Amino acid sequence: MKLNQKTNIGAAVQEKPLAVCGLILCAGFGARAGFSYNKLLHYVGTKTVLELTLDKFMESCCTSIVITASPNDIDAVRKMVSVYANVLVVSGGDTRTKSVRNGLQAMQKSDIVVIHDGARPFICSALINQAVQSAITFGSGILAVPAIDTIKEVHGDTVVRTLPRAGLYHIQTPQAFRYNQIVDAYARIADDCGDDSEIYEKAGYSPKIVLGDYANRKLTTPNDFLLHSASSKIGTGFDVHRLVENRPLILGGVHIPFEKGLLGHSDADVLTHAVMDALLSAAGLPDIGVLFPNDDPAFHNAVSLKLLQTVLQKITCLGFSIGNISAVVLAEKPKLSPYIEKICINLARALGISVQQINVSATTTEGLGTVGEGKGIAASAMCIVTY
Ligand code: MG
């Protein structure tokens, strides 16, 4: 949505698009979140907090975006947002107020500025647009929600005053202002303030409230991140192949010296097959029998690790990322422990994940059943994917 304003130029009335600049603050560290890095660079599902926030601004009426980042993070932030159009990343300051000041100085002259804490990724574009509309009409639009809890003034551990709840609001961001007014306010007020509406108020303007949303919470503590961690799904896969002579034995892409190998249309990598089916199952997709039919000449002697990468592409396209994979190979012979590490490395590389996200174990079946009689090798895998 792009907003227009009508301007009188002589007798003619022309419509020109409003220049609305979003200013997203990402220069803090967020020590209370408990990470060893900027909390806005923390992944919630497949995107960082900053990207989730930026997505909402890209859907809004903003025509350009300025992000303030600390010198430590500025390269990482620039790289992260390089796929977005009309986004400028500039150095923030060591306080929120200084970061806003830097952002205002770096941006091109605009009609409206919308200032937002990057740690509020649950904002929606409609509320950003309402704040902007309020700024067009009244000079400012400050998101706020009525206080739910009773608020008391406490000295030490003693309550000295109970504030009447009526009329008390929790102030959120975004906060939208006419560009000239917020630049004027920051030029005249040198104090460090908790938010921009305070500076605006101290400069003599009257901030106008826009009803916000309780869901527009600021991610601050470790618990906030737990509450808003990505949804996850579990998947399971199982496969078995017959052991025959004159075939290679390949497990997890590792060629294992043995007198027999597994029979199959592809390379019969039974472990990789189980892993693929686990991932597909978690993503709600058809299994490998449907994706790679064993009567399709295209998959004759196919390298299963390559097929695994096709599976990865399919689940990634749907927004899934791999949490972890746990698999077990059931084989009476040969002894697999010398190959487990290499198998895990192969699978991790094929999937573009850390080797710590994969665990493979091996067991015999104590001579029982088909596997125990050495007629075949089976594999079972489970995985968790997040989205
Ligand atoms: Mg198979």
Side-chain angles (χ1 to χ4, degrees):
M1 175 181 123
K2 298 298 169 219
L3 300 172
N4 292 296
Q5 69 175 1
K6 290 186 176 174
T7 51
N8 283 301
I9 301 175
V13 176
Q14 294 190 345
E15 283 206 354
K16 82 174 177 80
L18 279 179
V20 179
C21 185
L23 173 53
I24 300 175
L25 305 175
C26 178
F29 184 75
R32 280 177 291 173
F35 301 125
S36 57
Y37 50 88
N38 185 339
K39 66 181 176 182
L40 296 195
L41 305 183
H42 181 74
Y43 275 86
V44 177
T46 56
K47 293 194 172 183
T48 60
V49 174
L50 177 60
E51 288 170 296
L52 293 173
T53 303
L54 189 51
D55 284 346
K56 306 296 173 50
F57 273 75
M58 300 308 288
E59 294 164 7
S60 77
C61 63
C62 289
T63 50
S64 64
I65 309 280
V66 171
I67 297 173
T68 61
S70 77
N72 285 341
D73 299 326
I74 198 161
D75 288 343
V77 171
R78 280 193 175 130
K79 191 174 172 195
M80 186 177 292
V81 305
S82 60
V83 294
Y84 294 87
N86 296 327
V87 176
L88 175 70
V89 182
V90 301
S91 247
D94 54 8
T95 66
R96 187 188 188 285
T97 304
K98 286 177 189 167
S99 288
V100 173
R101 206 180 288 283
N102 287 1
L104 290 173
Q105 284 169 359
M107 75 177 59
Q108 298 210 328
K109 186 177 184 314
S110 301
D111 297 300
I112 304 292
V113 180
V114 198
I115 304 171
H116 188 62
D117 297 324
R120 292 184 189 269
F122 307 108
I123 185 62
C124 64
S125 57
L127 280 176
I128 297 170
N129 292 343
Q130 283 179 34
V132 170
Q133 192 57 58
S134 174
I136 293 168
T137 309
F138 304 108
S140 63
I142 314 299
L143 256 69
V145 287
I148 294 175
D149 298 324
T150 300
I151 297 179
K152 295 177 187 269
E153 187 178 337
V154 177
H155 290 182
D157 56 2
T158 305
V159 172
V160 295
R161 193 156 65 107
T162 298
L163 302 171
R165 201 165 56 206
L168 285 181
Y169 279 74
H170 293 286
I171 299 299
Q172 303 180 331
T173 67
Q175 301 187 359
F177 305 91
R178 286 187 195 150
Y179 172 87
N180 289 339
Q181 293 183 357
I182 194 67
V183 167
D184 169 62
Y186 267 85
R188 289 197 285 121
I189 306 299
D191 307 351
D192 261 347
C193 292
D195 74 330
D196 311 292
S197 66
E198 187 182 347
I199 287 182
Y200 188 74
E201 182 189 348
K202 282 183 174 174
Y205 296 103
S206 299
K208 185 83 174 174
I209 292 298
V210 171
L211 189 61
D213 186 344
Y214 291 101
N216 177 30
R217 294 181 54 215
K218 192 173 180 182
L219 296 178
T220 305
T221 66
N223 202 36
D224 294 334
F225 283 85
L226 284 177
L227 287 172
H228 293 293
S229 64
S231 298
S232 59
K233 294 180 86 173
I234 195 166
T236 182
F238 178 80
D239 197 17
V240 58
H241 280 255
R242 190 183 298 272
L243 270 172
V244 295
E245 290 178 352
N246 300 317
R247 283 279 295 183
L249 174 58
I250 296 169
L251 294 173
V254 177
H255 192 141
I256 294 167
F258 189 50
E259 65 209 36
K260 292 181 178 176
L262 294 172
L263 182 63
H265 183 59
S266 66
D267 62 5
D269 184 338
V270 66
L271 170 61
T272 303
H273 292 184
V275 169
M276 285 194 281
D277 269 344
L279 292 169
L280 291 165
S281 150
L285 291 171
D287 65 22
I288 55 170
V290 176
L291 287 183
F292 314 118
N294 64 7
D295 56 358
D296 186 337
F299 303 116
H300 179 61
N301 283 337
V303 175
S304 295
L305 279 189
K306 289 264 167 62
L307 303 181
L308 180 62
Q309 289 174 321
T310 304
V311 167
L312 175 69
Q313 277 177 4
K314 287 186 179 295
I315 69 165
T316 305
C317 282
L318 294 175
F320 293 103
S321 56
I322 297 169
N324 76 305
I325 295 169
S326 176
V328 56
V329 180
L330 296 87
E332 201 64 27
K333 281 182 182 173
K335 192 173 174 60
L336 296 176
S337 55
Y339 308 102
I340 294 292
E341 187 181 352
K342 178 67 176 143
I343 287 170
C344 289
I345 290 170
N346 269 4
L347 291 171
R349 278 190 185 151
L351 292 168
I353 59 176
S354 153
V355 77
Q356 281 78 31
Q357 290 170 273
I358 294 190
N359 187 274
V360 175
S361 58
T363 184
T364 69
T365 58
E366 299 279 339
L368 297 169
T370 307
V371 168
E373 291 165 9
K375 293 179 179 170
I377 292 181
S380 168
M382 295 186 83
C383 70
I384 286 179
V385 296
T386 57
Y387 58 99

